[in-house]
Amino acid sequence: MMSPSQTDQRGDDDDESKPSSVSDTNPESQRLLSTPSTKPTPDKEEEVAYEAREKISIVEFDGAIDDSDCLTPPKFSWKKLWMFTGPGFLMSIAFLDPGNLEGDLQAGAIAGYSLLWLLMWATVMGLLIQLLSARVGVVTGKHLAELCREEYPNWARYLLWGMAELALIGADIQEVIGSAIAIQILSNGVLPLWAGVVITASDCFLFLFLENYGVRKLEAVFAVLIGTMALSFAWMFADAKPSGKELLLGILVPKISSKTIRQAVGVVGCVIMPHNVFLHSALVQSRKIDPNEKGRVQEALNYYSVESSAALLVSFMINLFVTTVFAKGFYGSKQAYSIGLVNAGQYLEEKYGGGIFPILYIWGIGLLAAGQSSTITGTYAGQFIMGGFLNLQLNKSLRALITRSFAIVPTIIVAIVFNTSEAALDVMNEWLNVLQSMQIPFALIPLLTLVAKERVMGVFKIGPILEIGQSVMLDNVKVAWTVAVLVMVINGYLLLDFFVHEVNGLLLGFAVCIGTAAYLAFIFYLVARSGALSSSWLSIELSQMLPNTGS
């Protein structure tokens, strides 16, 4: 956030004990402009996502805005869009991690082309959530973890931090294991799974090295990794030659059956990653934006909307490539229900053969790019989550090492234990999916609570009534809560289905019931604190989406 001049600051301090003529004459405008980011810190300097020297300056091609209260942004500029390009593509990595790729290949092998429409709309829902996350970061100058620290009492914020860390650890284990599987493929099995985990763990040092050269250099590396994924999976798509007619029908015609309900839930469930909601609100602060100039804030929101949409369009195409390759090769086959990340390369090799460049290695390269990029963004997200919730004044390198250790130690244990058993690895992966699904409400509810608060967002809050020129998707709280409730209900179904099949025994069942009660109580607390329960439309939405259980 850009500060006023020192002279202005002294003037403000001198006037604190006097009545403010501006506040007296127009208290509403002062209330709208007040945000948590302008509050003084009583004890120590607060944690920030990026130091001022690390932020990228946005070159103004159109001059300064005369009226800081003007909400009309300057005219669109392709050069300026390029300056804002980067955070959305780093965010999109979470839509392309090994867990998503496994969901894609299983959806294609078991459901064929029939769930492509759901993949598309799940990506749209994910885009909405991520744009709200970016909105909070741009408007307040703080990321979601920092705002949660200010919004909730200590016991609640520590619980939220614990849930965010659990989600991050679960995602990181899947990402590191995915990279290790790719390394095992590319080494012809010479390197065992645990060795791949150790190699992948070293990417933390690569991340620290790249970060020293600036944000733009780091974004360029991710662009290369995303390009590698796109090229690898597009090559596989071209080799497989899927049916264009069936692909188009799968995207345009909604279709689902009782046999594919679990895959459908998985497609939606793996799109919203809890740690990614925290991450995006921090990434957008890598650009210098004066929050006091409303036109510039609106301009940044517009450019980030375009950039994030383009990034998720690329991620959708990559996910579509993977789904259709496995739909063409394995739908209706006896191998359909046994394909996972570990054996997918061998199945592809048997189905499509070697060729000039064997498809097994193309798959391995794409999987490695997905795993490496997602583990680095996981480390990045871990820094913001820990620093934001706890307000730690730690060196970034030290914080990154601590964050990395949280995930690497349990991942090495997992790799050693499950190295020789593909079935056990698949079961472990299901448990990790459940762990992440459980954490989704603890990212979405605080986000929607904050983005709808005038005290936090000022004139940029979302509300139930649309104003002229506002976006229906971004500025309507009903749409946002409907999407969030839909995502949480779908993931709730996944949790219920999993526990019904996996929880056996009276003692374990009792423990699950106690844990579920505490879990639901915390969710109810967060929703009640948001004020959403007082809105009649939320009750209507819930009654329409949940089965009628009677009185």
Side-chain angles (χ1 to χ4, degrees):
M1 176 183 293
M2 295 179 64
S3 301
S5 66
Q6 295 297 322
T7 303
D8 290 341
Q9 287 179 356
R10 287 195 297 270
D12 291 342
D13 294 339
D14 293 338
D15 291 341
E16 283 181 354
S17 60
K18 302 176 183 179
S20 172
S21 59
V22 175
S23 298
D24 291 341
T25 56
N26 194 359
E28 180 65 16
S29 64
Q30 292 299 311
R31 184 169 64 86
L32 288 175
L33 289 173
S34 65
T35 66
S37 60
T38 62
K39 291 180 180 179
T41 305
D43 299 323
K44 61 180 181 178
E45 183 181 354
E46 288 191 353
E47 180 74 20
V48 293
Y50 296 91
E51 300 290 343
R53 60 182 173 78
E54 298 175 313
K55 294 188 177 184
I56 298 169
S57 297
I58 303 298
V59 178
E60 302 298 346
F61 301 101
D62 38 34
I65 297 176
D66 295 331
D67 184 3
S68 63
D69 289 333
C70 177
L71 275 170
T72 304
K75 64 180 181 179
F76 180 83
S77 166
W78 288 103
K79 290 181 180 179
K80 191 173 286 188
L81 175 62
W82 173 249
M83 294 178 185
F84 280 100
T85 298
F89 282 89
L90 266 70
M91 169 273 295
S92 71
I93 295 295
F95 291 71
L96 298 168
D97 69 0
N100 277 275
L101 298 183
E102 183 164 33
D104 292 338
L105 67 88
Q106 290 177 346
I110 296 171
Y113 301 88
S114 64
L115 296 181
L116 292 179
W117 67 275
L118 191 59
L119 174 63
M120 180 181 70
W121 285 109
T123 305
V124 171
M125 288 194 295
L127 174 63
L128 169 62
I129 298 299
Q130 295 302 149
L131 290 181
L132 291 177
S133 174
R135 189 185 191 92
V136 166
V138 171
V139 173
T140 66
K142 295 187 176 184
H143 57 80
L144 184 57
E146 293 175 299
L147 293 170
C148 287
R149 187 182 73 234
E150 297 175 347
E151 177 68 20
Y152 296 101
N154 285 340
W155 70 269
R157 75 177 170 98
Y158 285 131
L159 268 178
L160 288 172
W161 171 62
M163 296 300 183
E165 289 290 354
L166 282 175
L168 182 60
I169 291 170
D172 213 8
I173 290 175
Q174 288 181 314
E175 292 155 1
V176 173
I177 291 293
S179 290
I181 291 171
I183 291 171
Q184 193 174 48
I185 291 172
L186 295 175
S187 67
N188 285 321
V190 172
L191 293 174
L193 208 58
W194 66 266
V197 169
V198 173
I199 293 171
T200 305
S202 64
D203 68 14
C204 179
F205 301 101
L206 173 64
F207 161 73
L208 295 174
F209 174 77
L210 292 173
E211 196 176 26
N212 290 331
Y213 286 87
V215 174
R216 266 320 218 188
K217 302 293 191 301
L218 186 64
E219 291 171 351
V221 170
F222 280 100
V224 171
L225 291 171
I226 293 173
T228 301
M229 278 186 274
L231 181 60
S232 298
F233 298 133
W235 191 321
M236 288 171 49
F237 180 83
D239 274 355
K241 298 181 178 64
S243 168
K245 179 181 177 182
E246 290 187 61
L247 190 154
L248 194 60
L249 288 174
I251 293 175
L252 299 179
V253 180
K255 185 168 57 175
I256 196 169
S257 70
S258 58
K259 295 180 180 179
T260 61
I261 188 68
R262 192 165 188 176
Q263 285 67 44
V265 170
V267 166
V268 178
C270 64
V271 165
I272 307 296
M273 305 291 285
H275 72 273
N276 207 40
V277 177
F278 289 96
L279 175 65
H280 199 195
S281 64
L283 292 174
V284 295
Q285 294 174 46
S286 60
R287 272 62 174 171
K288 288 183 180 178
I289 302 163
D290 186 353
N292 296 315
E293 292 190 11
K294 296 178 184 177
R296 294 300 180 191
V297 172
Q298 186 61 56
E299 177 187 48
L301 294 175
N302 293 345
Y303 282 120
Y304 280 134
S305 297
V306 174
E307 184 242 3
S308 297
S309 300
L312 290 194
L313 176 61
V314 173
S315 75
F316 168 70
M317 293 304 299
I318 292 174
N319 285 316
L320 182 142
F321 290 155
V322 175
T323 303
T324 52
V325 165
F326 284 88
K328 171 65 185 301
F330 304 101
Y331 177 56
S333 69
K334 62 182 181 179
Q335 303 104 324
Y337 288 89
S338 60
I339 298 179
L341 277 185
V342 177
N343 57 19
Q346 284 76 19
Y347 280 126
L348 286 170
E349 188 77 1
E350 293 170 5
K351 182 68 179 181
Y352 297 109
I356 299 175
F357 197 52
I359 196 169
L360 171 65
Y361 297 113
I362 298 172
W363 167 254
I365 291 171
L367 181 59
L368 182 63
Q372 289 293 328
S373 57
S374 55
T375 52
I376 297 175
T377 53
T379 303
Y380 218 20
Q383 290 190 72
F384 296 130
I385 289 171
M386 179 181 289
F389 275 109
L390 304 183
N391 196 23
L392 295 177
Q393 302 298 311
L394 293 178
N395 179 277
K396 282 190 175 182
S397 301
L398 178 60
R399 198 187 319 148
L401 288 172
I402 294 173
T403 304
R404 206 79 196 94
S405 300
F406 280 174
I408 288 302
V409 173
T411 304
I412 291 176
I413 295 172
V414 166
I416 293 173
V417 172
F418 296 105
N419 186 43
T420 58
S421 174
E422 293 181 10
L425 198 59
D426 288 339
V427 171
M428 183 272 300
N429 194 52
E430 288 186 14
W431 277 96
L432 292 176
N433 286 335
V434 167
L435 177 65
Q436 292 174 78
S437 295
M438 290 176 65
Q439 315 312 320
I440 286 177
F442 308 120
L444 293 189
I445 296 175
L447 172 65
L448 296 182
T449 298
L450 292 163
V451 82
K453 283 199 173 184
E454 193 173 278
R455 171 176 57 81
V456 176
M457 302 293 291
V459 296
F460 293 99
K461 76 179 182 71
I462 62 172
I465 300 175
L466 294 177
E467 297 177 6
I468 296 175
Q470 289 185 322
S471 163
V472 174
M473 288 298 289
L474 286 181
D475 294 307
N476 187 260
V477 69
K478 179 176 179 179
V479 173
W481 271 104
T482 301
V483 170
V485 169
L486 179 62
V487 171
M488 287 187 286
V489 168
I490 289 172
N491 279 278
Y493 175 88
L494 176 65
L495 295 176
L496 180 62
D497 179 71
F498 180 81
F499 284 124
V500 165
H501 288 89
E502 297 295 332
V503 174
N504 298 307
L506 183 61
L507 185 60
L508 183 57
F510 180 74
V512 168
C513 288
I514 295 296
T516 301
Y519 174 81
L520 294 176
F522 190 39
I523 291 176
F524 183 83
Y525 165 80
L526 294 175
V527 174
R529 189 180 177 89
S530 73
L533 287 179
S534 61
S535 301
S536 59
W537 61 261
L538 182 59
S539 301
I540 294 173
E541 292 295 333
L542 286 171
S543 64
Q544 291 176 346
M545 296 174 64
L546 296 175
N548 184 13
T549 56
S551 57

